[in-house]
Short mmCIF file of all heavy atoms in Angstrom, two decimals:
data_model
loop_
_atom_site.label_atom_id
_atom_site.label_comp_id
_atom_site.label_asym_id
_atom_site.label_seq_id
_atom_site.Cartn_x
_atom_site.Cartn_y
_atom_site.Cartn_z
N ALA Y 26 -94.56 -58.59 -28.80
CA ALA Y 26 -94.57 -58.67 -30.28
C ALA Y 26 -94.92 -57.33 -30.95
O ALA Y 26 -94.32 -56.96 -31.87
CB ALA Y 26 -95.60 -59.63 -30.71
N LEU Y 27 -95.85 -56.59 -30.30
CA LEU Y 27 -96.22 -55.20 -30.75
C LEU Y 27 -95.05 -54.32 -30.53
O LEU Y 27 -94.76 -53.38 -31.37
CB LEU Y 27 -97.42 -54.72 -30.13
CG LEU Y 27 -98.74 -55.43 -30.41
CD1 LEU Y 27 -99.85 -54.88 -29.56
CD2 LEU Y 27 -99.07 -55.15 -31.92
N TYR Y 28 -94.32 -54.43 -29.36
CA TYR Y 28 -93.27 -53.57 -29.07
C TYR Y 28 -92.11 -53.68 -30.09
O TYR Y 28 -91.41 -52.79 -30.42
CB TYR Y 28 -92.79 -53.80 -27.64
CG TYR Y 28 -91.50 -52.83 -27.41
CD1 TYR Y 28 -91.60 -51.55 -27.32
CD2 TYR Y 28 -90.26 -53.47 -27.38
CE1 TYR Y 28 -90.44 -50.74 -27.04
CE2 TYR Y 28 -89.12 -52.72 -27.16
CZ TYR Y 28 -89.21 -51.32 -27.01
OH TYR Y 28 -88.08 -50.55 -26.81
N ILE Y 29 -91.85 -55.01 -30.43
CA ILE Y 29 -90.73 -55.31 -31.47
C ILE Y 29 -90.93 -54.47 -32.71
O ILE Y 29 -90.03 -53.89 -33.25
CB ILE Y 29 -90.61 -56.77 -31.69
CG1 ILE Y 29 -90.12 -57.54 -30.39
CG2 ILE Y 29 -89.70 -57.12 -32.93
CD1 ILE Y 29 -90.19 -58.99 -30.57
N VAL Y 30 -92.19 -54.48 -33.13
CA VAL Y 30 -92.56 -53.68 -34.41
C VAL Y 30 -92.28 -52.23 -34.20
O VAL Y 30 -91.67 -51.63 -34.96
CB VAL Y 30 -94.01 -54.00 -34.79
CG1 VAL Y 30 -94.38 -53.08 -36.04
CG2 VAL Y 30 -94.23 -55.42 -35.19
N TRP Y 31 -92.76 -51.68 -33.00
CA TRP Y 31 -92.54 -50.32 -32.65
C TRP Y 31 -90.99 -50.00 -32.60
O TRP Y 31 -90.56 -48.99 -33.15
CB TRP Y 31 -93.20 -49.92 -31.35
CG TRP Y 31 -92.72 -48.74 -30.79
CD1 TRP Y 31 -91.76 -48.63 -29.76
CD2 TRP Y 31 -92.98 -47.38 -31.07
NE1 TRP Y 31 -91.50 -47.34 -29.49
CE2 TRP Y 31 -92.22 -46.49 -30.29
CE3 TRP Y 31 -93.92 -46.90 -31.98
CZ2 TRP Y 31 -92.38 -45.15 -30.31
CZ3 TRP Y 31 -93.96 -45.44 -32.04
CH2 TRP Y 31 -93.31 -44.63 -31.24
N HIS Y 32 -90.24 -50.87 -31.92
CA HIS Y 32 -88.81 -50.60 -31.73
C HIS Y 32 -88.14 -50.48 -33.11
O HIS Y 32 -87.23 -49.66 -33.22
CB HIS Y 32 -88.20 -51.75 -30.91
CG HIS Y 32 -86.81 -51.52 -30.48
ND1 HIS Y 32 -86.45 -50.44 -29.72
CD2 HIS Y 32 -85.68 -52.21 -30.75
CE1 HIS Y 32 -85.13 -50.54 -29.44
NE2 HIS Y 32 -84.69 -51.49 -30.12
N ILE Y 33 -88.51 -51.34 -34.05
CA ILE Y 33 -87.83 -51.35 -35.33
C ILE Y 33 -88.23 -50.09 -36.09
O ILE Y 33 -87.25 -49.37 -36.70
CB ILE Y 33 -88.25 -52.61 -36.11
CG1 ILE Y 33 -87.64 -53.89 -35.57
CG2 ILE Y 33 -87.83 -52.49 -37.70
CD1 ILE Y 33 -88.27 -55.17 -36.17
N LEU Y 34 -89.51 -49.71 -36.06
CA LEU Y 34 -89.88 -48.47 -36.68
C LEU Y 34 -89.20 -47.19 -36.02
O LEU Y 34 -89.02 -46.25 -36.68
CB LEU Y 34 -91.40 -48.37 -36.64
CG LEU Y 34 -92.22 -49.38 -37.47
CD1 LEU Y 34 -93.71 -49.15 -37.22
CD2 LEU Y 34 -91.84 -49.28 -38.91
N ASP Y 35 -88.99 -47.30 -34.72
CA ASP Y 35 -88.52 -46.14 -33.95
C ASP Y 35 -87.00 -45.96 -34.09
O ASP Y 35 -86.55 -44.93 -34.53
CB ASP Y 35 -88.84 -46.38 -32.48
CG ASP Y 35 -88.48 -45.16 -31.62
OD1 ASP Y 35 -88.55 -44.08 -32.13
OD2 ASP Y 35 -88.23 -45.34 -30.44
N LEU Y 36 -86.14 -46.93 -33.82
CA LEU Y 36 -84.79 -46.81 -33.63
C LEU Y 36 -83.92 -47.54 -34.83
O LEU Y 36 -82.71 -47.30 -34.97
CB LEU Y 36 -84.23 -47.31 -32.32
CG LEU Y 36 -84.66 -46.38 -31.14
CD1 LEU Y 36 -84.21 -47.01 -29.86
CD2 LEU Y 36 -84.01 -44.97 -31.28
N THR Y 37 -84.64 -48.32 -35.59
CA THR Y 37 -83.84 -48.98 -36.71
C THR Y 37 -84.15 -48.28 -37.97
O THR Y 37 -83.34 -47.83 -38.71
CB THR Y 37 -84.34 -50.51 -36.80
OG1 THR Y 37 -83.96 -51.10 -35.62
CG2 THR Y 37 -83.53 -51.21 -37.87
N VAL Y 38 -85.57 -48.25 -38.39
CA VAL Y 38 -85.94 -47.54 -39.56
C VAL Y 38 -86.01 -46.03 -39.37
O VAL Y 38 -85.67 -45.25 -40.24
CB VAL Y 38 -87.28 -48.05 -40.02
CG1 VAL Y 38 -87.82 -47.38 -41.32
CG2 VAL Y 38 -87.26 -49.63 -40.22
N GLY Y 39 -86.48 -45.60 -38.19
CA GLY Y 39 -86.47 -44.23 -37.86
C GLY Y 39 -87.80 -43.47 -38.22
O GLY Y 39 -87.89 -42.24 -37.90
N VAL Y 40 -88.75 -44.16 -38.75
CA VAL Y 40 -89.98 -43.55 -39.18
C VAL Y 40 -90.83 -43.00 -37.99
O VAL Y 40 -91.68 -42.14 -38.07
CB VAL Y 40 -90.85 -44.34 -40.11
CG1 VAL Y 40 -90.16 -44.60 -41.37
CG2 VAL Y 40 -91.28 -45.65 -39.42
N ALA Y 41 -90.64 -43.62 -36.78
CA ALA Y 41 -91.41 -43.33 -35.60
C ALA Y 41 -90.70 -42.31 -34.69
O ALA Y 41 -91.22 -41.91 -33.67
CB ALA Y 41 -91.79 -44.59 -34.87
N ASN Y 42 -89.40 -42.00 -35.06
CA ASN Y 42 -88.58 -41.12 -34.25
C ASN Y 42 -88.62 -39.77 -35.04
O ASN Y 42 -88.06 -39.64 -36.07
CB ASN Y 42 -87.23 -41.62 -34.20
CG ASN Y 42 -86.29 -40.88 -33.15
OD1 ASN Y 42 -86.49 -39.68 -32.99
ND2 ASN Y 42 -85.44 -41.54 -32.49
N GLN Y 43 -89.22 -38.75 -34.39
CA GLN Y 43 -89.33 -37.35 -35.05
C GLN Y 43 -88.05 -36.70 -35.29
O GLN Y 43 -87.90 -35.76 -36.09
CB GLN Y 43 -90.22 -36.49 -34.18
CG GLN Y 43 -91.65 -37.01 -34.04
CD GLN Y 43 -92.52 -36.13 -33.23
OE1 GLN Y 43 -92.06 -35.18 -32.64
NE2 GLN Y 43 -93.81 -36.42 -33.18
N ASP Y 44 -86.92 -37.17 -34.56
CA ASP Y 44 -85.65 -36.51 -34.72
C ASP Y 44 -84.54 -37.54 -35.13
O ASP Y 44 -83.43 -37.49 -34.69
CB ASP Y 44 -85.25 -35.68 -33.44
CG ASP Y 44 -84.11 -34.77 -33.67
OD1 ASP Y 44 -83.86 -34.45 -34.86
OD2 ASP Y 44 -83.46 -34.27 -32.65
N PHE Y 45 -84.97 -38.47 -35.93
CA PHE Y 45 -84.03 -39.53 -36.35
C PHE Y 45 -82.95 -39.00 -37.36
O PHE Y 45 -83.25 -38.30 -38.33
CB PHE Y 45 -84.84 -40.75 -37.04
CG PHE Y 45 -84.01 -41.92 -37.34
CD1 PHE Y 45 -83.67 -42.84 -36.42
CD2 PHE Y 45 -83.49 -41.98 -38.63
CE1 PHE Y 45 -82.87 -43.97 -36.74
CE2 PHE Y 45 -82.63 -43.14 -38.98
CZ PHE Y 45 -82.38 -44.07 -37.98
N ARG Y 46 -81.69 -39.40 -37.04
CA ARG Y 46 -80.67 -39.05 -37.98
C ARG Y 46 -79.91 -40.36 -38.32
O ARG Y 46 -79.32 -41.02 -37.49
CB ARG Y 46 -79.67 -38.14 -37.31
CG ARG Y 46 -80.28 -36.72 -36.89
CD ARG Y 46 -79.23 -35.81 -36.18
NE ARG Y 46 -79.87 -34.62 -35.62
CZ ARG Y 46 -79.20 -33.68 -34.92
NH1 ARG Y 46 -77.90 -33.94 -34.59
NH2 ARG Y 46 -79.91 -32.65 -34.49
N ALA Y 47 -79.79 -40.70 -39.57
CA ALA Y 47 -79.14 -41.84 -40.02
C ALA Y 47 -77.66 -41.79 -39.69
O ALA Y 47 -76.99 -40.74 -39.87
CB ALA Y 47 -79.27 -41.93 -41.58
N GLY Y 48 -77.15 -42.92 -39.12
CA GLY Y 48 -75.77 -42.99 -38.74
C GLY Y 48 -75.38 -42.36 -37.43
O GLY Y 48 -74.22 -42.26 -37.12
N GLN Y 49 -76.40 -41.88 -36.70
CA GLN Y 49 -76.12 -41.22 -35.37
C GLN Y 49 -76.91 -41.95 -34.24
O GLN Y 49 -77.90 -41.27 -33.69
CB GLN Y 49 -76.42 -39.76 -35.48
CG GLN Y 49 -75.56 -38.98 -36.49
CD GLN Y 49 -75.84 -37.51 -36.40
OE1 GLN Y 49 -76.04 -36.92 -35.36
NE2 GLN Y 49 -75.69 -36.87 -37.57
N PRO Y 50 -76.69 -43.17 -33.98
CA PRO Y 50 -77.47 -43.93 -32.98
C PRO Y 50 -77.51 -43.25 -31.55
O PRO Y 50 -78.56 -43.29 -30.98
CB PRO Y 50 -76.88 -45.32 -32.91
CG PRO Y 50 -75.46 -45.13 -33.49
CD PRO Y 50 -75.57 -44.08 -34.51
#
């Protein structure tokens, strides 16, 4: 359950990914 929240913030929303680029999965 905790990981699902992290995963969304990391690779869906991008706020937990320091090098997140929208539209470049």
Side-chain angles (χ1 to χ4, degrees):
L27 291 173
Y28 175 73
I29 289 170
V30 175
W31 161 262
H32 187 62
I33 292 171
L34 294 175
D35 187 29
L36 289 174
T37 302
V38 180
V40 297
N42 190 328
Q43 296 180 354
D44 196 16
F45 185 84
R46 298 179 188 174
Q49 298 185 36

